Amino acid sequence: MKTSFQPTLIAVLVAGALLGCQPASKPAADTPVAPAQAAAPTAEEAKAFVAKASEQTRQLLLEVNRADWIANTYITEDTEALSADYNKKLTEAVVALANEAARFNDTQVDADTRRQLDKLKLALTLAAPKDPTKTEELAGIVAKLNAMYGKGKYTNAAGKEMALGEMSAVMASSRSYDEQLEMWKGWHDTAAPMKPLYVRQVELANEGAKELGYTDTGAMWRSKYDMDADAFAAELDKQWGAVKPLYQALHCHVRAKLGEKYGTDKVPQDKPIPAHLLGNMWAQTWGNIYDLVAPENSDPGYDVTKLLADKGYDELKMVKGAEGFFTSLGFAPLPETFWTRSQFTKPRDRDVICHASAWDLDAKDDLRIKMCIEKTGEEFAVIHHELGHNFYQRAYKHQPVFYQDSANDGFHEAIGDTIALSVTPKYLQQIGLLEQVPDESKDIGLLMKMALDKVAFLPFGLLVDQWRWQVFSGQVKPEQYNEAWWKLREKYQGVSAPVARSEADFDAGAKFHVPANTPYTRYFLAHILQFQFHKALCEIAKDAGPIHRCSIYNSKEAGTALNAMLEMGASKPWQDALATLTGKPDMDASAIQAYFAPLQSYLDEQNKGRQCGW
Ligand code: X8Z
Ligand code: ZN
């Protein structure tokens, strides 16, 4: 399966619903409850059922993955229909198995069988109602929304058709208020036709979730974290609270700099920032406007995009370079088929889903990435991100089917990013990309660039699912979709729609993961976790310097420790996996705080006398 975003209807093998510390037979808040049974089935029957369900799921997954691969890399009516057919088949089967699994709710089984049953019950991202016509309708909508996103185009005033990649490049480099606005509006308007399909999809998926015993699809998603669903939501609030001061300081400084650039009439200093000025279509990472906020006297004086160009890196060499980091840790090289079957660049003659993803087609050796690589530093980081998925997938392939996943979905998203945190100036010099490592006086510049990507992302990582949870629960009705989206964008990110929007717009749909039904909280988790992983690995690698200068390149000790966590897959609660690497079972924002501590001081100094907030 592909893990960077889940196969559309399934998210097989995400963390289970039972509390790690609860007795195995006690259902957590949102787990389905078995209908009253005359006689509880035996533990042996439960085991036999798990074996049967694993084998059935394994076969169906392989078919779905193949159908989805071609539907993603060659968008036509036919591949869309094939994807819908196979997803329907898989969904029907998993819904039936999940219902059957509930028969064993009161059976005394060993902890491992219980965990696999729980994984199965939570395997679907969107559950379908048992009614086969509704399953078919849902599968059709899912495939259609995915294809619509992939085909999205904007035709500019001169009649030129632009796809997302091209528009994103303009957003990244343009410093014209109006040109960025044109791109922003052009892309966001492509999502409007998705709305009626999305509304119907919410109804159908909720019906399916209810039949499985969850109040709605959002509640089902929140149940996948080895803890009570409400406790998980509270945990997110706690982590956000810990990093919010850092985000607010960054926001304040960036807004001031944008005010200097575009004028305070366009960027008022007491209001949210217009969402199109931050160098990214969704204002989710801001690294592309580094030049506007680069600290005086501490600019490191290089940028990775330019280094790649200077040394003649093409797309393939970029991927080889990223693979080289993993092999330096002791991981085996990627299989030959990775190089022949992956999609590295955008085909020029057909529509594809360009959004980057990593695939494991057969849980054996058929690993691939699917990207439309641009030769930029930003994409170099994305390649590391994707390979992190592939190396994780390979590490847990020996686990039973229902454990062939990360400890929780945030772990999957964090591994490649953790490696990319080691792409420091020292490392770039070691691989011959950079001539000279800047001295420590340039650290604030490096930290600023990193914060524009990592710290700026945090509120966005949180709000996408806050919106979906409200939509799934019915708290937000279809006629309030867009208003609710912008309320959250303002509340968490402090950005605002740059032009008036209405309920005829569907701005959430302009973000890949909404039409693709990929849960998004995983990325928020990953942005906290990757700093914890980095810190632990740096200690293991015995890198004594400041954490932001540490690179674990070539450390076999770090590789061994990382692999020990990866090969656990989802076999144990994520807290156990976290403790395996870091020694502690808790998510902890102190690592990201420590990493950016020097920048926080710099920002506080810069923000003196400014009125922060919005
Ligand atoms: O979707 C992705 C990856 C694939 S799992 C490229 N990411 C999120 C996004 O692009 O919105 C990585 C970080 C956030
Ligand atoms: Zn990913």
Side-chain angles (χ1 to χ4, degrees):
M1 73 175 208
K2 61 179 186 270
T3 313
S4 58
F5 58 94
Q6 307 288 353
T8 38
L9 280 184
I10 51 138
V12 181
L13 335 172
V14 199
L18 289 178
L19 279 169
C21 54
Q22 276 190 345
S25 59
K26 184 178 180 292
D30 274 314
T31 30
V33 176
Q37 296 280 324
T42 65
E44 286 67 39
E45 285 175 280
K47 275 192 137 155
F49 168 76
V50 167
K52 178 194 85 172
S54 302
E55 181 50 23
Q56 198 183 342
T57 306
R58 190 188 65 75
Q59 285 179 16
L60 289 168
L61 264 175
L62 183 59
E63 291 176 1
V64 150
N65 286 339
R66 290 195 175 126
D68 277 352
W69 176 265
I70 54 168
N72 273 260
T73 56
Y74 199 154
I75 305 177
T76 68
E77 296 73 15
D78 301 318
T79 58
E80 184 186 311
L82 286 170
S83 166
D85 283 352
Y86 282 102
N87 275 291
K88 171 178 166 265
K89 217 171 122 185
L90 176 71
T91 303
E92 266 172 359
V94 176
V95 166
L97 290 169
N99 278 294
E100 211 182 325
R103 277 177 49 221
F104 303 103
N105 279 359
D106 292 326
T107 305
Q108 288 295 327
V109 294
D110 61 89
D112 194 54
T113 302
R114 175 58 59 201
R115 187 165 176 84
Q116 294 193 53
L117 287 167
D118 291 335
K119 291 285 169 199
L120 164 60
K121 285 184 273 188
L122 281 163
L124 294 163
T125 299
L126 300 184
K130 279 185 225 160
D131 176 347
T133 55
K134 288 183 174 168
T135 309
E136 185 167 341
E137 190 189 357
L138 179 57
I141 293 174
V142 164
K144 172 142 263 92
L145 283 172
N146 215 35
M148 281 170 90
Y149 187 90
K151 287 190 283 196
K153 296 208 182 53
Y154 162 67
T155 308
N156 74 9
K160 184 181 170 228
E161 245 191 16
M162 298 178 85
L164 176 60
E166 236 175 311
M167 301 175 81
S168 292
V170 176
M171 295 288 283
S173 63
S174 174
R175 297 293 174 260
S176 150
Y177 186 99
D178 291 339
E179 190 183 24
Q180 292 174 86
L181 183 55
E182 186 196 352
M183 294 299 111
W184 187 94
K185 187 173 178 320
W187 179 252
H188 281 76
D189 287 352
T190 64
M194 294 174 184
K195 181 166 174 178
L197 288 166
Y198 195 82
V199 171
R200 180 66 182 146
Q201 185 188 259
V202 169
E203 288 170 5
L204 291 166
N206 274 340
E207 215 179 303
K210 283 202 182 79
E211 286 181 16
L212 283 179
Y214 301 94
T215 41
D216 64 77
T217 301
M220 189 170 94
W221 288 8
R222 291 190 297 277
S223 301
K224 300 189 184 200
Y225 294 93
D226 294 306
M227 62 203 291
D228 174 77
D230 292 338
F232 176 67
E235 176 68 23
L236 291 177
D237 287 345
K238 181 180 141 194
Q239 298 301 331
W240 171 233
V243 291
K244 204 167 150 187
L246 185 53
Y247 179 73
Q248 284 174 330
L250 183 68
H251 180 284
C252 190
H253 183 59
V254 168
R255 183 174 65 189
K257 291 290 175 186
L258 290 172
E260 285 170 23
K261 171 76 186 170
Y262 297 103
T264 49
D265 54 329
K266 292 222 164 67
V267 187
Q269 295 297 297
D270 56 352
K271 294 207 165 54
I273 302 170
H276 66 300
L277 298 177
L278 292 149
N280 174 276
M281 190 59 86
W282 309 275
Q284 67 180 65
T285 48
W286 305 348
N288 289 322
I289 61 156
Y290 171 76
D291 57 310
L292 298 181
V293 294
E296 267 169 59
N297 308 323
S298 72
D299 178 37
Y302 74 88
D303 102 283
V304 178
T305 303
K306 193 163 174 305
L307 298 182
L308 292 169
D310 290 349
K311 301 287 173 192
Y313 269 60
D314 61 10
E315 296 85 353
L316 196 61
K317 198 162 176 203
M318 289 167 73
V319 182
K320 290 267 183 205
E323 183 200 30
F325 203 118
F326 287 88
T327 53
S328 90
L329 300 176
F331 289 94
L334 290 161
E336 187 50 36
T337 50
F338 171 88
W339 303 101
T340 53
R341 297 178 189 174
S342 287
Q343 176 196 294
F344 296 125
T345 54
K346 186 172 194 252
R348 73 189 98 178
D349 57 353
R350 61 179 199 259
D351 284 320
V352 300
I353 310 269
C354 274
H355 191 90
S357 54
W359 298 58
D360 172 12
L361 271 87
D362 61 359
K364 290 201 180 97
D365 215 25
D366 195 347
L367 301 169
R368 310 177 193 175
I369 61 169
K370 177 189 62 59
M371 288 186 68
C372 300
I373 299 175
E374 300 288 337
K375 289 176 273 184
T376 64
E378 191 178 1
E379 290 273 276
F380 198 41
V382 176
I383 294 169
H384 288 79
H385 176 97
E386 297 309 331
L387 291 194
H389 287 307
N390 281 151
F391 281 96
Y392 210 154
Q393 288 159 340
R394 191 164 61 182
Y396 60 57
K397 73 174 177 183
H398 301 295
Q399 291 286 348
V401 172
F402 294 119
Y403 292 159
Q404 284 171 9
D405 201 355
S406 49
N408 71 37
D409 52 6
F411 282 57
H412 231 309
E413 299 305 335
I415 301 308
D417 283 15
T418 301
I419 299 305
L421 288 177
S422 277
V423 178
T424 56
K426 179 174 73 185
Y427 166 71
L428 292 172
Q429 190 193 40
Q430 279 171 300
I431 62 165
L433 265 172
L434 181 65
E435 307 297 333
Q436 214 183 347
V437 175
D439 65 51
E440 277 172 31
S441 70
K442 312 294 186 225
D443 280 10
I444 292 297
L446 287 162
L447 283 171
M448 177 68 84
K449 171 87 168 119
M450 196 60 107
L452 290 171
D453 286 330
K454 302 293 181 184
V455 177
F457 179 79
L458 291 160
F460 188 76
L462 202 58
L463 77 85
V464 175
D465 281 353
Q466 300 283 330
W467 180 80
R468 273 192 292 211
W469 295 350
Q470 292 177 2
V471 163
F472 283 129
S473 77
Q475 185 190 329
V476 164
K477 312 252 171 308
E479 60 273 19
Q480 304 163 319
Y481 275 7
N482 225 48
E483 188 197 341
W485 174 253
W486 284 106
K487 254 196 185 151
L488 290 165
R489 298 264 277 158
E490 290 200 11
K491 175 182 167 188
Y492 284 102
Q493 282 185 291
V495 305
S496 57
V499 286
R501 305 303 276 170
S502 77
E503 293 304 328
D505 301 307
F506 184 46
D507 291 327
K511 178 66 201 167
F512 168 79
H513 303 69
V514 173
N517 293 303
T518 309
Y520 210 81
T521 303
R522 59 185 61 185
Y523 302 108
F524 175 79
L525 300 175
H527 277 66
I528 305 286
L529 288 169
Q530 62 188 259
F531 289 92
Q532 282 184 259
F533 295 162
H534 180 61
K535 179 167 177 264
L537 290 167
C538 287
E539 280 162 17
I540 293 164
K542 302 203 169 55
D543 187 309
I547 188 76
H548 60 272
R549 292 188 146 244
C550 157
S551 175
I552 62 165
Y553 184 55
N554 276 333
S555 169
K556 303 288 180 289
E557 293 79 9
T560 303
L562 180 59
N563 190 57
M565 179 174 82
L566 301 189
E567 68 185 8
M568 290 168 77
S571 63
K572 293 279 167 339
W574 62 263
Q575 295 88 341
D576 293 10
L578 185 54
T580 299
L581 180 61
T582 69
K584 296 217 181 75
D586 308 306
M587 274 226 299
D588 181 0
S590 69
I592 184 172
Q593 285 168 339
Y595 187 101
F596 288 111
L599 184 75
Q600 174 92 55
S601 308
Y602 170 83
L603 291 170
D604 290 346
E605 190 60 35
Q606 297 294 310
N607 288 333
K608 271 192 187 146
R610 287 177 183 152
Q611 201 204 317
C612 296
W614 55 87

